[in-house]
Amino acid sequence: MNPVIKKTQAFKDQKPGTSGLRKSVKYFKADNYLQNFIQSIFNCLDELEGSTLVLGGDGRFFNREAIQIILRMAAANGVGKILLGQGGILSTPAASHVIRKYKALGGILLTASHNPGGPNGDFGVKFNISNGGPAPEKLTNAIFEESKRLSEYKITEAQVSPIDKLGSFKLAEMEIEVFDPVKDYADLMESIFDFEKIRELIASPDFTACFDAMNAVTGPYAEEILGKRLGMDKNALMNTQPLMNFGGKHPDPNLSTAKQLVDKMYSKKDAPNFGAASDGDGDRHMILGDYFFVNPSDSLAILAANAQKIPAYQNGIIGIARSMPTSQAADKVAEKLGINSFQTPTGWKFFGNLLDHGEITFCGEESFGAGADHIREKDGLWAVLFWLNLIAVKQDSVENIVRNHWAEYGRSYYSRHDYERLPVKQADEIMHHLQSSLPLLPGMQFGELRIEKADDFTYIDPIDHSISEHQGIRIIFDNGSRIIYRLSGTGTEGATLRIYLERYEADISKHDLDIQETLSDISQLSVKLAKIREYTDRERPSAIV
Ligand code: G1P
Ligand code: ZN
């Protein structure tokens, strides 16, 4: 069947953000918006002809239609083979693994991560390269430039392809292999952790656990790994059916959006010992103990400090990287272990080079993301299994594991205050104001807080020396406390200003304070320095994470 060349109008707004191109479903469905972006990706891949690509998504609304369009376009653009997750389902970490395992040229991941789904929700497209990780900025910039001048795209007029049955078939000259999206990933997890020990823990009458898949992509993965392979009871696996609108919920594992799980874990009576949740596409995680929340920055530090208790890391780890706004808890661990430690801009793509070149083993972000060198994406279930394996080895509660960690390394009180859906103009004004006040800030004293350093974070990749500028305003105090400001690169409505607040406390007698109270002086200062009250009409953040 001959490819058909269709004329199209270029868009000016297809710039990929922190993690791919995200827009509302309405955008993606109209005016060849999806087609243009896919053609722009294809046009930037030199080795596309005859290549193998991985395809799948988090199952959100428009996933299945988008897959049909992409299959027809891939066939018309000379792709040799598509490895397609059955039913169009493929978690982000599993996609990363499959790209690596089958040496694909890359993968197209259809996800808007934790953003809500449904006809009025969001959709997203992300391209990952052959190392399994998100395309680096060089490639996303090239795709954006291409999208601004695109005038045509290629598509076959072939029939709709079946995607629900395992097996191989042809679409024009291209082979499509529909594969089980869970098996390879489950096997990988089994090769990293001590499944026998975790099975014993789960079977023990003294331990109860639950997992909330939030009606998102991790449902089938949790059923296979936590249920079938590790023996977790069906009732302990919550919301495992992936739904196109995530059951109307916001598939983000945090204390306000994972309400069902949080209510269970904070109930006075019969709360399980361990609770966890993952997000829309399965790369985020939240860990809870009985009436206890593990801050994600702490989670990264604790996993790193205890790496040698896990079979895959028993010989130790090489280094840890964290995104710049993530708390400094992981740095303390790296320092003690005498291993590499890096600070990168926000977004997983910046970890790729460090992982590929053996500079780090673990990496993570404050936004409920942690991962390791087994793939090139953050990995929600990996973190959950890590915690279970750790509890099985230590035979201790989540809370004790965290408290003992603080006792040894000190506690980083940490919180993120978000101002969502701000008019873009206001958000830009705030950032410009902060940028212009940077030279004046060092040396200024506010009560007990003295500013030691203030800058606009620039990252120079230690491997390829590429430079990424304007990655967040940093205000660093002489006691190690920090205020960081940056604008979100994943939102689809207006602008979101994120303010990250951190205060370090070494004194163990002060490890039980209220987080927001402890951070209140820094928080008030953050509002004052950014002139939030002057530039916006907001009295308080719209979300506190
Ligand atoms: C957010 C998080 C960031 C994460 C990204 C994708 O991006 O802050 O850490 O990598 O989602 O999950 P942001 O909206 O802040 O640009
Ligand atoms: Zn995600």
Side-chain angles (χ1 to χ4, degrees), residues 284-391:
R284 294 184 174 203
H285 74 280
M286 175 170 69
I287 304 293
L288 299 171
D290 173 357
Y291 220 91
F292 193 81
F293 165 71
V294 183
N295 180 283
S297 295
D298 282 343
S299 180
L300 172 66
I302 292 166
L303 300 188
N306 291 286
Q308 286 185 281
K309 305 209 164 48
I310 305 300
Y313 315 113
Q314 60 186 343
N315 296 326
I317 57 173
I318 300 164
I320 316 168
R322 63 166 172 91
S323 68
M324 181 274 282
T326 301
S327 99
Q328 299 162 94
D331 305 5
K332 300 254 183 300
V333 176
E335 202 182 314
K336 192 156 191 175
L337 296 178
I339 57 173
N340 295 339
S341 141
F342 296 91
Q343 259 186 86
T344 58
T346 296
W348 212 260
K349 56 178 174 264
F350 294 101
F351 296 132
N353 273 345
L354 297 171
L355 290 163
D356 283 351
H357 287 81
E359 293 288 343
I360 56 168
T361 313
F362 288 180
C363 41
E365 298 191 277
E366 53 70 40
S367 52
F368 298 81
D373 59 357
H374 61 290
I375 53 168
R376 295 294 180 270
E377 286 281 1
K378 55 186 177 252
D379 193 340
L381 274 171
W382 172 86
V384 173
L385 292 167
F386 200 132
W387 270 93
L388 286 170
N389 200 152
L390 195 56
I391 295 168

Side-chain angles (χ1 to χ4, degrees), residues 24-230:
S24 69
V25 166
K26 292 192 183 103
Y27 245 86
F28 264 106
K29 281 182 89 161
D31 308 325
N32 298 327
Y33 199 81
L34 172 71
Q35 289 86 333
N36 276 24
F37 191 63
I38 297 295
Q39 189 65 51
S40 304
I41 297 175
F42 287 160
N43 289 357
C44 290
L45 301 176
D46 293 339
E47 297 160 60
L48 188 70
E49 189 78 38
S51 67
T52 297
L53 290 178
V54 171
L55 178 63
D58 59 19
R60 67 179 58 227
F61 188 83
F62 194 53
N63 193 46
R64 295 176 75 90
E65 292 92 319
I67 283 172
Q68 295 300 338
I69 292 169
I70 295 168
L71 288 174
R72 290 166 53 209
M73 287 184 68
N77 276 276
V79 172
K81 180 174 177 177
I82 292 273
L83 284 167
L84 173 67
Q86 187 179 17
I89 290 287
L90 193 56
S91 81
T92 292
S96 183
H97 176 53
V98 171
I99 293 170
R100 292 164 69 77
K101 181 166 180 188
Y102 298 105
K103 303 200 168 21
L105 175 67
I108 297 176
L109 283 60
L110 305 176
T111 171
S113 184
H114 52 287
N115 293 18
N120 298 316
D122 288 339
F123 193 75
V125 179
K126 197 169 117 171
F127 184 72
N128 281 26
I129 57 174
S130 61
N131 74 349
E137 275 194 327
K138 202 169 148 229
L139 180 53
T140 54
N141 288 340
I143 294 169
F144 178 45
E145 291 308 317
E146 182 65 17
S147 71
K148 288 191 283 189
R149 55 176 175 247
L150 196 84
S151 59
E152 55 188 40
Y153 68 89
K154 290 186 209 158
I155 191 158
T156 65
E157 303 261 275
Q159 293 298 307
V160 170
S161 308
I163 65 170
D164 293 309
K165 223 172 108 225
L166 295 177
S168 289
F169 58 92
K170 287 248 171 185
L171 177 67
E173 296 302 304
M174 184 179 80
E175 185 188 346
I176 299 175
E177 186 184 331
V178 179
F179 70 96
D180 174 352
V182 176
K183 185 177 180 305
D184 286 319
Y185 176 81
D187 291 348
L188 175 67
M189 291 300 111
E190 199 156 357
S191 74
I192 294 175
F193 299 106
D194 188 340
F195 269 36
E196 210 172 301
K197 254 211 157 70
I198 303 177
R199 240 190 321 267
E200 275 169 31
L201 173 76
I202 287 173
S204 134
D206 303 327
F207 181 79
T208 46
C210 62
F211 177 80
D212 188 351
M214 302 192 83
N215 290 120
V217 81
T218 39
Y221 295 84
E223 280 180 356
E224 170 66 24
I225 301 171
L226 299 174
K228 278 205 198 117
R229 299 197 189 191
L230 293 168

